[in-house]
Amino acid sequence: MSDPTVPTTWRHFIGGSWVEPATGEYFDSTDPATRRTLYRAARGTAPDVERAVAAARDAFEDPRWRDLSQTRRGHLLRRLGELIAENADELALMESRDNGKLLREMRGQLATLPEYYHYYAGLADKIHGETIPASDRRVLNYTTREPLGVVGAITPWNSPLTLTTSKLAPALCAGNTVVIKPSEYTSATGLRLAELALEAGFPPGAVNVVTGFGAEAGQALADHPGLAKISFTGSTATGSRIAASAASRFIGTTLELGGKSPQIVFDDANVPNAAMGVVAGVFAAAGQTCIAGSRVLAHRAVYDELLERVCERAKSIRVGDPLDEATELGPLAFEAQRDKVAGYVDLGRAEGARVLTGGAATDGGLGGWFYEPTVLVDVDHGMRVVREEIFGPVVAIMPFDTEEEALRLANDTEYGLAAGVWTTGLARAHRVAARLDAGTVWVNTYRAMSPMSPRQGFKNSGVGVEHGTETIKEFTRLKSVWINTGEEPVADPFTMRS
Ligand code: NDP
């Protein structure tokens, strides 16, 4: 990846080797800032997925993995974290070129990414069951937490390394093996991650990657009968299809889906900080984050000041080359995403919204798929721009008068991923956090994340927990073992024992 004008070819990574796609076909991956072809990736289809799931199954049953002590599993995760740190510059550059995320944001993500592996490294030998006090003292009843088997991880393009890690690190920590299907727009870093896992000492087949399109490789993986679980991050529509497929086979899912997260700015807020929080919530990563704070509710007493501050900062955002340290807003990740964002702003105008700043596509001076940071006002909850996920640098700002009204509007959404609250009132902070229908609530901050802190989408934003110790339950199954230590003959065989 040293010269962006020279395409490289990536094959699938299956069973620890680079594997040609069954069809022999490849597709181009494009730098969204320049529209130059970056590399070609293998176009995966059902036979490739078949091969990857078989490799993952073989690895799962291989004594080198199955019988590895949990402590040693932890060592491997720690080593993988170290290798990521050693290769951080390369990975940051790769992802920045692939999806247009700012290189400095990627460097920041890479600085913390090893911590996810180190966190789960520490957890690996703390996964255990319990002894249950059975009523009959002669009976020993204990539980064990077992790995599930082969986990399918289907990941999106907006933060491939981080969002893949949210699945990969706990899945491996719990003793599973994994088949990853990255987004067709960002195939490279998942492949490199799998290569580093092999280098770290994970056995061949523990981490496999099949690249390709959602409707081909993704669907084939989601529907594969060999999976014990599917962990997915992406749109609510695709998540719903995957959940239905998984349900038909009675396998579990962890789904991290869309959002339309509110940020509430109260009249007792530190308004300059709140304005920066709004900017961070929706313009960072060009708004292409599931947690984008894309609906802002501002108390009428601070509405004008907040608007002025947000617009002022939005107008001064430096749009351009994501590799340039001075750039603040890079491109949208691909053309259709840029068109989707533009379409929503046009729709907002047609619905009666007023564009205070932004509202136009640009090529960022590089020929790429950029969109200006955009502030919409004169909006209400009947409009699609306020109800639907735009996934771009577009924020809708509206006033409210009472705390009760703010809560009603904040919760008036099909989603429940995250929410922001800006207030200096301690009691209000707790009161409002308790009543927000969202899995993550940030007070006087936004877009904070840690491997230690669990996150869960409420309502249509997801199923299950990622991060923290809680997610380990999603990657294990619980077995209850009963051992009769008594020597007495079995009494009445027709009654239930305890
Ligand atoms: P998708 O949900 O379609 O994509 C997410 C992942 O699922 C990708 O790897 C995709 O592959 C794969 N996929 C697509 N269709 C299927 C299928 N039928 N079976 C199995 N896997 C499949 O999101 P999009 O990329 O289309 O983005 C659309 C919208 O979704 C965005 O505009 C945004 O609103 C939302 N989104 C939310 C994300 C979040 O973090 N919550 C992340 C990404 C998108 P491929 O990319 O190759 O099609």
Side-chain angles (χ1 to χ4, degrees):
M1 300 277 293
S2 53
D3 181 350
T5 62
V6 180
T8 322
T9 298
W10 289 91
R11 288 168 287 169
H12 302 308
F13 193 77
I14 299 176
S17 303
W18 296 108
V19 172
E20 290 287 340
T23 58
E25 287 181 43
Y26 289 80
F27 61 96
D28 288 342
S29 199
T30 308
D31 177 345
T34 60
R35 298 196 200 187
R36 285 198 201 118
T37 301
L38 277 176
Y39 56 83
R40 296 182 328 138
R43 181 171 173 175
T45 51
D48 303 311
V49 169
E50 188 63 48
R51 195 166 169 178
V53 174
R57 187 74 219 173
D58 289 348
F60 182 70
E61 285 164 4
D62 188 329
R64 281 180 296 173
W65 179 244
R66 192 191 56 207
D67 298 341
L68 192 69
S69 77
Q70 291 180 219
T71 305
R72 292 203 171 276
R73 243 193 252 155
H75 290 173
L76 296 182
L77 281 162
R78 176 157 288 282
R79 182 68 195 124
L80 178 52
E82 287 165 359
L83 284 173
I84 289 168
E86 285 166 25
N87 292 278
D89 287 346
E90 176 205 354
L91 289 165
L93 187 59
M94 241 182 202
E95 191 149 307
S96 183
R97 284 200 176 126
D98 228 358
N99 67 2
K101 209 162 214 156
L102 299 185
L103 183 58
R104 67 189 161 102
E105 155 133 26
M106 280 316 303
R107 288 206 178 111
Q109 278 195 20
L110 262 303
T112 54
L113 202 66
E115 289 171 14
Y116 285 76
Y117 292 91
H118 296 166
Y119 176 79
Y120 287 104
L123 214 53
D125 58 6
K126 292 159 198 76
I127 301 172
H128 53 71
E130 296 175 319
T131 309
I132 315 291
S135 328
D136 182 341
R137 302 304 294 170
R138 289 164 302 185
V139 169
L140 172 64
N141 179 208
Y142 61 88
T143 59
T144 53
R145 278 212 168 267
E146 301 180 339
L148 299 171
V150 180
V151 171
I154 300 179
T155 54
W157 40 266
N158 53 328
S159 249
L161 276 169
T162 296
L163 298 174
T164 303
T165 293
S166 302
K167 304 168 188 329
L168 184 65
L172 293 172
C173 170
N176 302 286
T177 56
V178 183
V179 177
I180 300 166
K181 205 305 275 179
S183 167
E184 72 202 57
Y185 301 107
T186 51
S187 307
T189 48
L191 289 161
R192 186 73 182 108
L193 194 57
E195 196 180 29
L196 290 177
L198 187 72
E199 191 181 333
F202 284 95
V207 183
N208 309 277
V209 180
V210 175
T211 56
F213 303 126
E216 295 177 354
Q219 187 85 50
L221 182 60
D223 293 344
H224 198 287
L227 294 190
K229 178 185 174 76
I230 306 175
S231 182
F232 168 81
T233 299
S235 65
T236 297
T238 304
S240 167
R241 274 202 297 279
I242 288 174
S245 170
S248 71
R249 286 170 285 140
F250 306 108
I251 64 168
T253 51
T254 303
L255 306 171
E256 210 260 271
L257 308 174
K260 191 74 187 177
S261 299
Q263 289 236 55
I264 311 176
V265 183
F266 284 101
D267 49 351
D268 60 358
N270 175 327
V271 181
N273 278 353
M276 286 305 281
V278 168
V279 169
V282 75
F283 296 137
Q288 298 172 110
T289 69
C290 49
I291 52 175
S294 49
R295 278 187 303 140
V296 174
L297 305 164
H299 190 277
R300 209 172 292 277
V302 295
Y303 176 79
D304 288 339
E305 184 189 348
L306 184 88
L307 215 53
E308 195 182 319
R309 286 180 182 276
V310 171
C311 285
E312 197 181 322
R313 190 64 188 89
K315 280 181 201 149
S316 71
I317 286 176
R318 282 189 289 265
V319 180
D321 183 359
L323 304 187
D324 183 338
E325 285 291 320
T327 301
E328 294 173 321
L329 191 114
L332 280 312
F334 49 98
E335 187 172 18
Q337 190 60 26
R338 199 276 314 271
D339 292 348
K340 178 183 166 187
V341 172
Y344 265 113
V345 175
D346 290 346
L347 175 70
R349 285 191 178 101
E351 286 178 313
R354 192 154 51 93
V355 177
L356 267 196
T357 183
T362 114
D363 73 354
L366 300 163
W369 297 303
F370 293 77
Y371 199 85
E372 293 173 351
T374 300
V375 177
L376 302 179
V377 291
D378 298 346
V379 288
D380 65 53
H381 269 227
M383 295 179 177
R384 283 180 58 197
V385 283
V386 177
R387 304 205 71 81
E388 297 175 16
E389 184 175 49
I390 297 176
F391 225 69
V394 181
V395 64
I397 306 186
M398 62 207 99
F400 69 87
D401 291 301
T402 66
E403 185 176 305
E404 208 51 39
E405 184 191 4
L407 278 164
R408 182 177 56 74
L409 290 172
N411 290 334
D412 177 24
T413 167
E414 66 173 293
Y415 297 112
L417 198 57
V421 180
W422 297 87
T423 177
T424 51
L426 181 66
R428 169 173 275 159
H430 287 289
R431 193 167 61 232
V432 171
R435 288 190 54 199
L436 279 167
D437 220 354
T440 297
V441 177
W442 289 292
V443 179
N444 297 332
T445 184
Y446 203 82
R447 216 169 160 244
M449 205 170 98
S450 152
M452 294 174 272
S453 181
R455 59 174 193 182
Q456 172 165 30
F458 290 180
K459 302 196 280 188
N460 288 358
S461 289
V463 174
V465 181
E466 290 202 315
H467 303 166
T469 56
E470 201 67 29
T471 197
I472 293 300
K473 290 186 187 153
E474 312 230 347
F475 288 102
T476 52
R477 58 186 187 180
L478 197 60
K479 180 176 280 175
S480 179
V481 180
W482 297 66
I483 299 186
N484 179 9
T485 64
E487 301 284 351
E488 298 80 0
V490 174
D492 180 357
F494 301 105
T495 58
M496 193 178 268
R497 273 146 248 280
S498 61

